[in-house]
Amino acid sequence: MTMKRDSLLSPAASSGIAAPAAGPLDGVRVLDLSAYIAGPYGCTLLADQGAEVIKIEPPTGDNLRKYPSTLAAESRAFLGVNRGKRGLVLDLKQPEALAVLRRLVEAADVLVHNFRPNVPARLGIGYEQLREVNPRLIYCAVTGYGDTGPNKDKAGYDQVLQTMTGMCAMQGKADGPPEILYGSVVDYYAASLVAAGVSSALFARERTGQGQYVGVSLLRSALAMQSARMVWADDEPRDVGRDMRSGGITGIHPTREGYLYISANTPHFWLALCEKTGMSALAADERYDSVRKRAQHRDEIVPQLHAALQAHSARDWEAIFGDAVPCAAARRVEDMFDDPQVDAEAMVQHYTYAGAQGDLGYRGFREPIRFGNGPDAGACNVPASRAAPAFGQHSDEVLRDLGLPDAEIAALRKAKAVQ
């Protein structure tokens, strides 16, 4: 089905607000009332695709701004999670600020928040309340546990849901305690669900003309990430192996210098690994001719593999294996800023953040998805992203775009409804 551009741009494009950057979501306006990672990064993914995203913070700010950081005056996490947005500060506990938000909703396509289910209606921004303002609104609520059930009003956080859903128990060693998966993996996967759910709802709106409610929870995210484990046959006992790790060969191994991850599950890659490490006899042994058999005999194979890998460093093995064996030397994230593959794909750009203590220049990630007329880098039509907004950086700009005169903006500031 072909998207009708005129209907996609309504109502935001007809509101008199400057057009956003080009991209597949050009003309879509998103109001981001969320904090931390899942909701905000979901909105960033929409901004990366060309949507205009307005980050609306309370007077206390997004708490992610206050997280520990080795940057002198700014939060590294906030900068990384909130690129591509304009910033507005509203105190929604004041009726004047709520009136401003409702005017923004009239001209918006999407609203995203991560309040607990009992909060939005109390603030006057529940789904039913805002649907009356704009029936075409896509309303996305990010929660910890969902909209129903005994935990619905509990605060949910990434590592809380990791621990609850078995991820930490699975990550830990068999004879050790549960272990956290660092990197906010549940939050970031939930962010992807936010972007996907909102995009699907926008597509559905093209057919129906109506907005809808989109519900994303960290619980759903944590379980969706474990779909391969979330299979329990009718006749199975409780305590069976549910992980999909192939065991033994596939994993991180020591070399003469550094560590190397190797994946050799297919017959082709297993044969290439044996040949290039001088273990051809193993490739010819029918005891090791499947992933399952190699896992069963890992205690026989792995010591030989480790001995062979001592011949070279991890980086050298990368070159030796080339395209024949999927592998990667263990690196630090700092190495990615100048990695030739990352550079070739133009995944890093320079940003300037207008902080309270002066401009901060930094390099950061961009463009998680490539769009255009073909695979060539020059064909992509999503331009460079903007840095995360400073606290209230674009408040006056957004309100002027909404049509508020300077005198009214000044009155809102005096009442501290806007900052």
Side-chain angles (χ1 to χ4, degrees), residues 227-238:
S227 291
R229 296 171 180 167
M230 289 288 291
V231 175
W232 193 335
D234 292 341
D235 58 350
E236 280 188 314
R238 176 183 177 87

Side-chain angles (χ1 to χ4, degrees), residues 53-200:
V53 179
I54 301 173
K55 184 173 180 67
I56 301 174
E57 298 180 70
T60 54
D62 183 336
N63 200 43
L64 197 62
R65 290 186 182 273
K66 305 176 180 68
Y67 266 47
S69 173
T70 51
L71 293 175
E74 309 297 342
S75 163
R76 194 183 307 274
F78 184 87
L79 296 180
V81 167
N82 287 283
R83 66 177 177 271
K85 305 175 185 179
R86 293 197 289 172
L88 167 66
V89 176
L90 292 178
D91 184 358
L92 294 180
K93 295 180 180 178
Q94 298 198 41
E96 299 91 342
L98 180 59
V100 169
L101 179 66
R102 290 172 72 88
R103 289 184 62 173
L104 286 167
V105 168
E106 289 176 3
D109 299 286
V110 179
L111 182 142
V112 177
H113 72 73
N114 68 334
F115 297 114
R116 283 178 268 181
N118 62 358
V119 173
R122 195 166 69 239
L123 289 175
I125 60 170
Y127 172 59
E128 297 296 339
Q129 293 163 315
L130 295 187
R131 186 169 67 168
E132 292 180 0
V133 177
N134 179 2
R136 289 173 55 82
L137 183 70
I138 307 303
Y139 183 102
C140 180
V142 183
T143 61
Y145 300 89
D147 301 307
T148 60
N151 292 346
K152 68 182 182 66
D153 291 321
K154 293 179 63 175
Y157 293 93
D158 180 288
Q159 294 173 5
V160 174
L161 270 299
Q162 284 189 35
T163 307
M164 172 186 173
T165 60
M167 296 176 72
C168 297
M170 190 68 74
Q171 183 72 7
K173 295 179 174 58
D175 56 350
E179 295 182 7
I180 291 293
L181 288 72
Y182 288 101
S184 301
V185 292
V186 174
D187 277 339
Y188 279 104
Y189 191 71
S192 297
L193 296 178
V194 167
V198 165
S199 297
S200 294

Side-chain angles (χ1 to χ4, degrees), residues 254-282:
T255 69
R256 188 174 68 189
E257 180 182 344
Y259 288 83
L260 184 75
Y261 183 90
I262 295 173
S263 179
N265 290 330
T266 68
H268 173 74
F269 293 141
W270 166 243
L271 176 62
L273 174 66
C274 291
E275 289 178 345
K276 290 183 177 293
T277 55
M279 301 189 305
S280 298
L282 296 184

Side-chain angles (χ1 to χ4, degrees), residues 103-408:
R103 289 184 62 173
L104 286 167
V105 168
E106 289 176 3
D109 299 286
V110 179
L111 182 142
V112 177
H113 72 73
N114 68 334
F115 297 114
R116 283 178 268 181
N118 62 358
V119 173
R122 195 166 69 239
L123 289 175
I125 60 170
Y127 172 59
E128 297 296 339
Q129 293 163 315
L130 295 187
R131 186 169 67 168
E132 292 180 0
V133 177
N134 179 2
R136 289 173 55 82
L137 183 70
I138 307 303
Y139 183 102
C140 180
V142 183
T143 61
Y145 300 89
D147 301 307
T148 60
N151 292 346
K152 68 182 182 66
D153 291 321
K154 293 179 63 175
Y157 293 93
D158 180 288
Q159 294 173 5
V160 174
L161 270 299
Q162 284 189 35
T163 307
M164 172 186 173
T165 60
M167 296 176 72
C168 297
M170 190 68 74
Q171 183 72 7
K173 295 179 174 58
D175 56 350
E179 295 182 7
I180 291 293
L181 288 72
Y182 288 101
S184 301
V185 292
V186 174
D187 277 339
Y188 279 104
Y189 191 71
S192 297
L193 296 178
V194 167
V198 165
S199 297
S200 294
L202 286 168
F203 182 79
R205 193 179 72 176
E206 296 306 296
R207 294 179 291 180
T208 67
Q210 296 294 311
Q212 64 178 291
Y213 180 90
V214 176
V216 174
S217 72
L218 299 188
L219 176 59
R220 289 183 183 276
S221 173
L223 294 181
M225 292 175 67
Q226 300 183 85
S227 291
R229 296 171 180 167
M230 289 288 291
V231 175
W232 193 335
D234 292 341
D235 58 350
E236 280 188 314
R238 176 183 177 87
D239 295 321
V240 295
R242 301 188 189 280
D243 204 7
M244 58 178 291
R245 282 177 276 195
S246 50
I249 307 307
T250 294
I252 296 178
H253 302 282
T255 69
R256 188 174 68 189
E257 180 182 344
Y259 288 83
L260 184 75
Y261 183 90
I262 295 173
S263 179
N265 290 330
T266 68
H268 173 74
F269 293 141
W270 166 243
L271 176 62
L273 174 66
C274 291
E275 289 178 345
K276 290 183 177 293
T277 55
M279 301 189 305
S280 298
L282 296 184
D285 195 324
E286 64 180 13
R287 294 177 300 165
Y288 313 135
D289 63 6
S290 72
V291 176
R292 180 170 295 183
K293 288 181 180 180
R294 291 194 288 274
Q296 292 170 346
H297 294 280
R298 68 176 309 279
D299 291 340
E300 302 165 18
I301 301 173
V302 171
Q304 297 183 61
L305 175 62
H306 285 181
L309 292 177
Q310 290 304 305
H312 303 285
S313 70
R315 297 291 184 100
D316 287 341
W317 278 116
E318 275 189 336
I320 292 167
F321 288 147
D323 297 335
V325 180
C327 66
R331 292 169 169 81
R332 294 172 59 94
V333 70
E334 290 82 2
D335 296 322
M336 293 296 97
F337 286 88
D338 299 300
D339 182 84
Q341 182 62 38
V342 172
D343 181 64
E345 287 287 298
M347 295 182 189
V348 173
Q349 76 170 61
H350 190 272
Y351 295 85
T352 301
Y353 174 78
Q357 299 186 21
D359 287 351
L360 171 68
Y362 66 94
R363 288 186 293 166
F365 180 75
R366 70 176 296 265
E367 198 180 79
I369 305 171
R370 173 150 285 177
F371 297 96
N373 297 321
D376 295 338
C380 298
N381 62 1
V382 178
S385 179
R386 71 167 83 210
F391 185 65
Q393 179 180 354
H394 306 100
S395 291
D396 288 359
E397 176 185 309
V398 170
L399 296 179
R400 289 193 187 103
D401 286 347
L402 195 59
L404 273 64
D406 287 349
E408 187 173 346

